[in-house]
Amino acid sequence: MEILLVGAVLMIAAILMSAWLMTFAKWFPIPGIDGGFLKDYKTMIRAHIDFALMALFCLGFYATKVELPVAACWLVVIGGMTNPGVFVVAAFDPDFWAKPVWRVYSLLSFIATTLGFGWIAWTLLRFALQAG
């Protein structure tokens, strides 16, 4: 289950890096970064928020102290990095949504996230019903 903590730390690092990137792109424009390098500021904000939410989920799941399946934890962390990663790539590549490789990436990321979150939700529900 410690992978949830490691994943949360990675996601927090991504939050900090995206915050600095967006700060420089918006308030201290550097030629080539704002508009040249970072194409879609709003999509980067989506990535930033998604990383924050995923980090909070990882910390929340860990904080329950319910014994969670390790594979489910890995799936949540993989999804927690790759789902916001969809927005990161899209922020730099305006043609992102039209490229088949990114569609496959998005699909696999969504599947991993759904399986991980669903598995953990099922585990938590079973724990709650057994405790009651």
Side-chain angles (χ1 to χ4, degrees):
M1 283 187 15
E2 282 69 26
I3 188 60
L4 292 170
L5 292 179
V6 172
V9 169
L10 292 173
M11 292 166 211
I12 291 168
I15 293 165
L16 293 171
M17 287 187 284
S18 64
W20 277 101
L21 175 66
M22 289 185 295
T23 298
F24 275 99
K26 208 60 161 176
W27 292 339
F28 307 105
I30 297 172
I33 291 186
D34 188 29
F37 182 59
L38 179 60
K39 305 278 188 202
D40 188 346
Y41 189 81
K42 289 180 182 177
T43 300
M44 183 56 81
I45 291 172
R46 290 180 184 106
H48 182 79
I49 292 167
D50 205 9
F51 276 124
L53 291 172
M54 293 297 193
L56 289 171
F57 273 118
C58 287
L59 293 171
F61 291 153
Y62 185 83
T64 66
K65 297 299 182 191
V66 173
E67 190 62 35
L68 300 171
V70 174
C73 296
W74 271 97
L75 287 169
V76 165
V77 170
I78 290 167
M81 290 300 295
T82 59
N83 266 2
V86 168
F87 295 119
V88 172
V89 176
F92 294 105
D93 182 2
D95 298 325
F96 170 85
W97 304 109
K99 296 178 180 174
V101 66
W102 295 122
R103 287 182 183 200
V104 171
Y105 170 88
S106 298
L107 175 65
L108 293 174
S109 172
F110 188 70
I111 289 169
T113 306
T114 301
L115 291 173
F117 275 78
W119 194 353
I120 286 181
W122 177 250
T123 302
L124 293 173
L125 178 62
R126 283 190 3 235
F127 177 82
L129 294 175
Q130 290 171 356

